[in-house]
Structures are given as structure tokens and as C-alpha cells.
Amino acid sequence: MSMKRKITTLMILGISINLANASKITDMIQKQTGQVTTILQEQQMSQDSNLKLLTLKDNSSGYKVLAVTNSQESIFLPITQAFFTSNDKDRELVVQEFGSITNYNMTFKTQAAVKKEIAKLPQDYIVSLKGKTSKKVFYIISDPLCPHCQEELKHLDERLKQGDVKMIPVGWMGAESANKVAELYEKMKNLKTDSEKIALLKKVYDKNYKAPTAKNATLTKVQEVVRSLMGKGKAEGTPYIIEEDL
């Protein structure tokens, strides 16, 4: 049984858990599900001062779960994608944290191998953007033709509020994608400011933009990056996002 299913089972059973004592909650989850867990973070919710947002980690599998508890710490409610609230601030908090956990769960088993390959890349292939804080760094492997990557780019400002971004464009989706990435490689190295880099990313990632045919030498570089980062045991799709606390 998966961690998500087992914690959902706790919710269905209506088990009351005293979250004030971390050993009690972990002992109870272990007793009921066989899973050893750790509470990583507690955040107060705005709409109701009785509610807190919890991040837990399954110590054996490494997966994380997002949940809500009350001020008495007697209710434990795991959050799924189908979460609704009339409070905009709480909705933004939950969407942000749920997205962060989803990205983590999708990448944590392969991120060591991917980061090792990223470290070998020439800096010209990485778009480094400085965030408003240095508490986090996001490694984003992204294809300009990927619709989900195009959508992710729209949230770049939100990422930069949380930390630095290291974006690695890849020509994963064919010749047109490779031409777009080649253009980024050629032009990005001459840009000085983050605003210039972001403007170029938005231009090239626009679904209506068609890049010129790249030189063979640059296309070879694009192909080398794809071979380094993409495939079984590495990034198997885009966007591939590693969120790392500093």
C-alpha cells in the first residue's frame, strides 16, 4: 500500500492524533500503517486560525505528504489536488506547497544522477537567474515546445520570489525544439541582466515563435545535453524540477 493511500486510510478511520508530540504521531502512523514518518514543517493558515498546514515525509520511501490539522491537533486530513477554499492566500499557499511536494515526489529518486550531469555542463547551457532570496534553488529542465514547460515559464516570477533558478533548456521534442534551444545557447551568453535573459526565454518559448535553423555545431551541443540529462534513471520528461533548500 502506498504512503498516500495509507495516510488517507488514517483519515477515513477518523483517527485522532496529538500532533503536539511528534513521537506520538509518528508512533501511531507506524503502528497503523507500518510507515515511519517525520513532520518537516508546520504553517499557519489565514482563513481560520484553528488550521495548520503540515508537511510530512515517509522515511523509508522518501515521499512527502501535505495535510491539514486543527488547533487541538486532533484531526489529520491529507490534501489531494482537489482542494478548495474561498481564501486566496490559503489557496496560493496550498497550491504552492502541493506543487512543491509533487515535484519533489516525482524527482527525488533521480535527482542525484541529474544534478551530477548538470554539474558537468558548460555554464553557457544553464540560464542562471538570481532570486529575491537565496533560501532555495530550483533546477528546471525544460523544453521550449513542451506546453507544460511554457506554462511553467509563466510562473518564473513566483519561483524567483522563493529562491534562485537554474534553467536548463533541452531540445527534447524534435528539430524545431532543438533550433529553439540552439538559439538560446547562442544568444544567452551575450546577455548581462536577468531581465534580458527572461525576455529571451519568453520570446523563444512562445508557441508561435519559429527559430531559425541552427548551425550543425550548435545542434551537436543541444544533442549532447539531451543525451546527458534525459532518459531512464534521469529526467524522463519535461518540465523536470528539482527544488533544493539551501
Side-chain angles (χ1 to χ4, degrees):
M1 188 183 292
S2 68
M3 174 61 178
K4 184 176 180 181
R5 186 173 177 184
K6 288 177 179 177
I7 290 189
T8 303
T9 301
L10 292 180
M11 176 183 68
I12 294 172
L13 291 174
I15 294 174
S16 297
I17 300 174
N18 180 10
L19 295 176
N21 187 328
S23 64
K24 262 193 173 182
I25 181 174
T26 53
D27 287 350
M28 186 169 290
I29 290 176
Q30 185 174 13
K31 180 179 178 181
Q32 295 293 323
T33 70
Q35 303 299 115
V36 179
T37 58
T38 302
I39 298 175
L40 300 178
Q41 183 176 230
E42 296 185 5
Q43 299 181 80
Q44 195 68 46
M45 299 188 74
S46 300
Q47 185 172 12
D48 190 330
S49 59
N50 291 316
L51 299 179
K52 290 190 296 184
L53 193 65
L54 301 177
T55 302
L56 298 94
K57 183 175 183 179
D58 171 16
N59 293 359
S60 60
S61 72
Y63 285 106
K64 294 181 181 179
V65 174
L66 197 64
V68 169
T69 186
N70 61 356
S71 60
Q72 291 80 26
E73 298 179 333
S74 59
I75 300 173
F76 181 75
L77 302 172
I79 290 177
T80 68
Q81 201 164 10
F83 179 87
F84 302 93
T85 175
S86 60
N87 185 277
D88 290 342
K89 189 173 182 180
D90 282 345
R91 183 169 57 251
E92 289 175 6
L93 174 64
V94 171
V95 167
Q96 176 181 307
E97 292 300 323
F98 189 81
S100 174
I101 286 174
T102 300
N103 287 330
Y104 172 88
N105 286 342
M106 288 176 63
T107 65
F108 83 95
K109 287 189 175 180
T110 57
Q111 65 178 246
V114 173
K115 280 191 64 182
K116 184 178 179 180
E117 294 301 326
I118 291 175
K120 298 177 184 177
L121 295 177
Q123 289 303 302
D124 288 350
Y125 302 170
I126 302 173
V127 183
S128 296
L129 302 170
K130 187 67 177 175
K132 294 185 177 179
T133 174
S134 294
K135 293 181 179 180
K136 292 178 180 288
V137 59
F138 297 93
Y139 297 89
I140 305 175
I141 299 175
S142 174
D143 189 300
L145 281 190
C146 165
H148 298 293
C149 298
Q150 293 166 357
E151 183 62 29
E152 169 63 31
L153 185 63
K154 295 177 183 178
H155 301 283
L156 183 58
D157 287 344
E158 296 170 27
R159 297 283 189 198
L160 290 171
K161 288 178 183 177
Q162 302 174 60
D164 298 338
V165 169
K166 293 186 179 296
M167 188 168 170
I168 304 96
V170 292
W172 173 244
M173 300 180 67
E176 186 179 349
S177 172
N179 285 331
K180 287 193 171 198
V181 173
E183 182 173 6
L184 287 170
Y185 287 175
E186 289 297 321
K187 292 185 176 180
M188 196 66 70
K189 59 187 176 184
N190 297 318
L191 302 181
K192 303 299 182 183
T193 68
D194 283 1
S195 59
E196 290 175 322
K197 296 175 185 177
I198 292 171
L200 179 60
L201 285 169
K202 290 181 177 179
K203 173 186 173 182
V204 174
Y205 272 67
D206 188 306
K207 62 182 180 181
N208 296 315
Y209 178 74
K210 186 172 178 62
T213 301
K215 299 175 182 177
N216 288 336
T218 308
L219 286 176
T220 298
K221 296 175 183 178
V222 174
Q223 293 163 359
E224 288 172 354
V225 173
V226 169
R227 284 195 293 269
S228 296
L229 299 181
M230 309 300 295
K232 187 173 178 60
K234 298 178 184 177
E236 297 185 15
T238 56
Y240 180 98
I241 304 170
I242 298 173
E243 178 180 338
E244 190 173 86
D245 293 322
L246 299 178

